[in-house]
Amino acid sequence: MIDEITSIPVTSLFFREVQKDLSENFHPCMKKLQDEISIKKEAIRSEIENQEWIKKFDGDVIKEPILGVDASTVSRDYGEVSTALGVGVVSSTSEDVEPKYFYQAVYGTSSETFNKVASYIRVAQELAALRYACNSNHWVMYDGSFNALNMDLCKFAASMPNDLNGSVDDPDFLEWELVKNFYQRCLLSVDSDWFTIFGQPSSKGVKGLISLSKKGISKYYSRQLKALSSITDNAFLPSDKLILGMILQADEYTRPVSYEQVFQGSSHGSKVPGYGKPNTGKNNNLERQHDLVEMTFKNMRIVNFRPWAWSPVMTIHYNKIACKLEEVLGVVKAQTTTRSIMEPMPLYLADLLSKQASAVIKLYGEINVGRYPNLFKAFRTSTRK
C-alpha cells in the first residue's frame, strides 16, 4: 500500500518514525548513560568503599541439594475462545525430591479483560510450586523477588470481589469466576499458600528460602552516590544492579539492607514499607496471619553479591531470622561454578522447565480452528484458508 502524498509505502512511514526516535532520543540517552558511569567508575568505587558498603565473603562454599522455583504464563485469543496457561515449576538437585510441574489452563470467552487471567494464574501456580519446595528440608531458590510476588498477589486480590459467594456483575474483571478457586487456595485461609510460606509462627518464615531477582528494581545506592548526582541531567538514574555490576569484584557483597530502607514510602495498606497487604475481602479472621507476614517482610534483607569474577552481580533477598547471611552466600557461590551459565544451576534448570508453556499454547488454539470451525467463523482474525 502506497501513501498518495509521499509515494512512500505506509510501513516505511512507520519505520521512519522508529528510526527518528532511535537517532534523536534512544541512542543519545544510552550513550550519555554509558559515558557517565564509565567516566565515573573509579569515583563510584571510591565513594562506596568510603561508605563501607562493600564486604568480602571468606566463608565456606556450601554444596547442598537445592530446589529451584520459577513460573511462566502465556495467553492467546483465538476467535470466540481465549486461553491462558500458567505453570509453576520446581527443579531439584536432590535425590529425595522430584521435580514437579504445577500446570493450569483457563479458557473462556474472549474479552478486553481476559489478559488479567494469565498473570493471576501465574501467581497462584508460583505459590503452589513454592509451597511444595518449602515442604522439603532443602534450600529453595526462587527466581524473582518476594516484593514483586507480593505486589502481583495484591493486584490479583484487588481484582476479586469482596464476597465470592454473592451475585457479582463486575465489568472491570469479567473472568473473576474462572480464577476464584485459585484465589481461595493461595490466599483466603489460614493454611493458604501465601500464609503457609510467609506467615510462619514467630515470623520466621520458611527456613532456607531465598530469592534472586534478575531485574534491577532497587536504586537505594545509586540515589545516595554523589558521583551520580548530575546523571539525570543527561539520562535516567541507573539501578543498583547496573552500578554494582560495574564495580563489585569476586567474592564481594554489599552490606545487607532492609525492605524498609530500599522501598521507603512504598507501603500499600501495610505498616511495613515494601510490603503490600493483599485484600482478603469479607474474611476478617486472617488479621493474625497478615501480621505474621508483615513481620516476615520486616525481616527481609537484600544483598548484592558477585560470587566469582565471571559472574554477574546477583541480587539476593533473604529472611535474616530464618537464614544466616554467610550460609546464603555460601549456597549461592556453590551453585554458580559453571562459567557458561550466568545464574545458579537450580534456577537455570527451573527456567528451562517453565519456558515450555509457550510451546503448547497452539494446542489450545490454532490447530482447533479446523476442528471446531463454527467457533471461529464470526471473527475476522480467525480466518483460515
Side-chain angles (χ1 to χ4, degrees), residues 156-381:
F156 188 1
S159 293
M160 301 300 288
N162 286 330
D163 184 3
L164 296 181
N165 298 316
S167 178
V168 179
D169 182 15
D170 186 358
D172 294 328
F173 185 38
L174 301 174
E175 291 78 19
W176 69 268
E177 288 188 287
L178 296 178
V179 295
K180 178 174 69 173
N181 292 338
F182 308 130
Y183 176 53
Q184 291 173 316
R185 186 195 75 208
C186 68
L187 185 62
L188 294 187
S189 67
V190 172
D191 62 348
S192 66
D193 294 342
W194 180 250
F195 292 129
T196 299
I197 297 166
F198 295 105
Q200 297 293 310
S202 302
S203 303
K204 289 185 177 180
V206 174
K207 186 180 184 301
L209 172 62
I210 62 176
S211 76
L212 286 90
S213 174
K214 290 190 176 96
K215 296 183 179 179
I217 59 173
S218 166
K219 296 186 179 182
Y220 173 77
Y221 294 108
S222 57
R223 282 197 184 100
Q224 299 181 65
L225 288 170
K226 294 179 181 178
L228 293 176
S229 60
S230 63
I231 195 169
T232 52
D233 295 340
N234 300 314
F236 54 84
L237 186 67
S239 70
D240 292 342
K241 197 161 191 175
L242 176 58
I243 296 300
L244 296 171
M246 183 177 63
I247 59 102
L248 282 187
Q249 299 171 5
D251 283 321
E252 289 185 339
Y253 65 96
T254 56
R255 183 182 64 199
V257 293
S258 68
Y259 274 21
E260 293 175 286
Q261 292 172 286
V262 173
F263 304 111
Q264 294 179 22
S266 60
S267 176
H268 302 275
S270 164
K271 299 183 291 291
V272 180
Y275 174 66
K277 181 180 178 180
N279 176 32
T280 46
K282 283 193 171 184
N283 192 339
N284 297 317
N285 300 318
L286 298 173
E287 286 307 308
R288 173 59 178 161
Q289 277 63 44
H290 280 301
D291 290 342
L292 290 172
V293 177
E294 280 190 354
M295 288 305 299
T296 296
F297 273 74
K298 191 177 181 68
N299 290 324
M300 288 294 180
R301 296 294 181 268
I302 301 176
V303 62
N304 296 276
F305 179 42
R306 170 162 274 149
W308 306 95
W310 63 82
S311 304
V313 168
M314 300 182 183
T315 302
I316 307 167
H317 298 230
Y318 71 99
N319 184 337
K320 70 169 187 175
I321 304 298
C323 308
K324 294 180 179 179
L325 175 58
E326 190 168 279
E327 292 180 354
V328 170
L329 300 179
V331 164
V332 171
K333 187 174 176 71
Q335 295 297 324
T336 52
T337 56
T338 305
R339 288 174 180 253
S340 59
I341 298 177
M342 296 290 102
E343 61 183 330
M345 183 60 72
L347 296 186
Y348 172 74
L349 297 174
D351 186 59
L352 292 178
L353 296 176
S354 69
K355 284 181 177 176
Q356 295 182 64
S358 297
V360 303
I361 189 66
K362 290 184 179 180
L363 298 176
Y364 292 86
E366 292 178 6
I367 66 171
N368 291 318
V369 173
R371 186 175 295 172
Y372 311 111
N374 291 338
L375 297 180
F376 298 89
K377 286 182 178 178
F379 295 85
R380 68 177 187 271
T381 56

